[in-house]
Structure formats: structure tokens, C-alpha cells
Amino acid sequence: MNLTFATAGRVLSQLRGDHRTVALIIGLPCLLIGLIAWMFHDRPEVLDQFGPMLVGLFPLTVMFLVTSVATLRERQSGTLERLMTTPIRRGDFVAGYGLAFATLALVQAFVVVGFALLVGMDVAGPLWLVIVVALLDAILGCTLGLAASALARSEFQAVQMMPAIIFPQLITCGLLMPRDQMPQVLEWLSRAFPLTYAIEAMTSLAAGDEWVDIRGAVGVIGLFIVGAVVLGVATLRRRTA
């Protein structure tokens, strides 16, 4: 446990000195939501409809990109190989990274949800649940990024992973078209993607649903997080040539 906290502290210390990454994690989702609010300033119902979906989407996407690149950088710099010669275990490394980015994700969730409300988004459901789901989405992005980094051999390939993993989910998650109106094969496929459940939970909260209505979707998100962590631990020893 001490090694996990030490790893988390090291990562957070590095992030404090990387102002551009912090700006990307915190500022980019706010910027995009602000642009949409400005674009549809005379149609506030658009932000009410799509704002909660975007609050679930942007943290996942941004945290996926940042985490996958940061983890791969540890491999390329030799930091990971040096760490593996110490008593630190793979689980400590992944848990430490997850804890560090989860801390940042918590800040991101509060800032993004608060900003969305500030620019006019209206949510009928409990606000605390919106923050919880946004936090889980960001953590999901972190864990998926950790798992995806094992497949990349360079930072460029890590960036390429994002459209390969995220874009199919964007098409089928219900953001562009209600899932029940999709071809049946695509509707079935959407059930295998975690973003589907993130969008489902946020849409339900926007409509005024409570915890009992979204607990199934939240549970599935949690299972995807656990699965991505297990995959990240299992592939951590992979080298980047």
C-alpha cells in the first residue's frame, strides 16, 4: 500500500509541473462545453439535452488520451523498467497511477459539472449523481488508457489508439441517434461498449431519474473499470521497442 501511495505521489508531483497537461484535463472539456453553449445560446434546450452526455464523454476521452501517453512515456524513458527492479509490484504501479489520475479526475468532475451548470445546463436529476457518474467516466478513461498503452510502441501509436477505441463507441452510444432506432446489429454492439452506459446514465439523470434508475448502468461502468485495471496489470511488463 505504501508503494501505491508513493507511486501516486510521484505521478501527481510530475503533473503539478506539467501545466499543459493539467490545462488539457481541466480546461479542454470546459472549453468545448462553453463553445456548444455559445453556439446554441438562443436554444437552451439543446444544452439541456446534450450537455449531460458531453459531461460524461469529454472526461473519458481526455483522461484516456493523457493516461495512455503518460504510461507509455514511463516505458520509453526506462522509468518502468527501473521500477520493476525494486520491490514495487505491477499492481502497486497500476493502482498508484489509477489513484493519481482518479484524484485529478475528481477535480475535473467538479470543475466540468460546475462550469456546465454555470453556462446554462439544467439537470433534473440529483446533481451529486451527475458528479459521481462524471468521475466514474473519467476513471474509466484512465483505466482504458492504462490498458491501451500496452498495445502501443510509441506516443504516436498511443494517440492512434484513441480513435480506434473511442470513435466506434461514439457512433453507437446513443449520442448521434437513439439506440433503439439503430440497426439491430449496431444496437447489440453498443451493449459491449462502456461509453454506452455512461451516456445512458447521464441521459437518465438529465431526465430526472434517481439512483435506482441508473444503478445498473453505473454497475456496468464499474465492471469495465475493474476489467481494464486487470488487463493493465496483466500487460504491464510488455516492453516498448
Side-chain angles (χ1 to χ4, degrees):
M1 185 62 70
N2 290 336
L3 292 175
T4 296
F5 286 121
T7 301
R10 178 179 63 83
V11 175
L12 287 173
S13 177
Q14 291 175 344
L15 288 172
R16 279 197 299 269
D18 191 348
H19 303 297
R20 287 179 294 183
T21 298
V22 174
L24 175 68
I25 294 173
I26 304 297
L28 182 59
C30 294
L31 174 63
L32 296 175
I33 291 174
L35 288 174
I36 292 172
W38 187 17
M39 187 182 305
F40 296 102
H41 67 279
D42 56 343
R43 297 175 59 191
E45 70 278 3
V46 173
L47 185 62
D48 293 343
Q49 179 181 357
F50 291 101
M53 298 183 187
L54 300 179
V55 167
L57 169 64
F58 290 151
L60 185 152
T61 305
V62 172
M63 295 303 284
F64 175 92
L65 177 61
V66 170
T67 307
S68 59
V69 172
T71 307
L72 185 62
R73 191 173 296 168
E74 294 275 62
R75 300 171 189 269
Q76 290 184 317
S77 66
T79 301
L80 178 58
E81 188 173 351
R82 290 193 297 270
L83 286 173
M84 287 300 140
T85 64
T86 70
I88 192 171
R89 297 171 298 181
R90 291 182 294 175
D92 293 319
F93 179 86
V94 172
Y97 250 79
L99 181 60
F101 280 103
T103 302
L104 197 56
L106 179 61
V107 176
Q108 183 194 57
F110 276 103
V111 172
V112 172
V113 172
F115 181 80
L117 294 173
L118 181 65
V119 297
M121 185 183 76
D122 185 28
V123 177
L127 183 58
W128 70 271
L129 277 178
V130 176
I131 295 175
V132 168
V133 175
L135 173 61
L136 288 175
D137 292 344
I139 294 174
L140 176 62
C142 293
T143 56
L144 289 175
L146 283 169
S149 67
L151 303 175
R153 294 182 178 273
S154 67
E155 291 185 20
F156 180 67
Q157 289 184 3
V159 173
Q160 289 177 317
M161 289 292 172
M162 189 182 77
I165 294 175
I166 299 298
F167 283 9
Q169 299 187 58
L170 279 175
I171 294 172
T172 60
C173 70
L175 183 65
L176 303 178
M177 174 188 292
R179 291 171 55 227
D180 57 7
Q181 297 179 19
M182 294 179 183
Q184 193 172 49
V185 173
L186 292 181
E187 198 276 330
W188 288 342
L189 183 63
S190 71
R191 299 178 188 178
F193 293 147
L195 186 58
T196 296
Y197 302 94
I199 297 299
E200 179 182 316
M202 282 298 191
T203 303
S204 298
L205 290 173
D209 287 350
E210 302 284 341
W211 164 249
V212 68
D213 303 301
I214 69 166
R215 61 187 179 183
V218 170
V220 174
I221 295 171
L223 289 176
F224 272 105
I225 290 174
V226 173
V229 169
V230 171
L231 181 60
V233 172
T235 58
L236 185 61
R237 289 192 183 278
R238 175 176 173 145
R239 288 191 175 189
T240 302

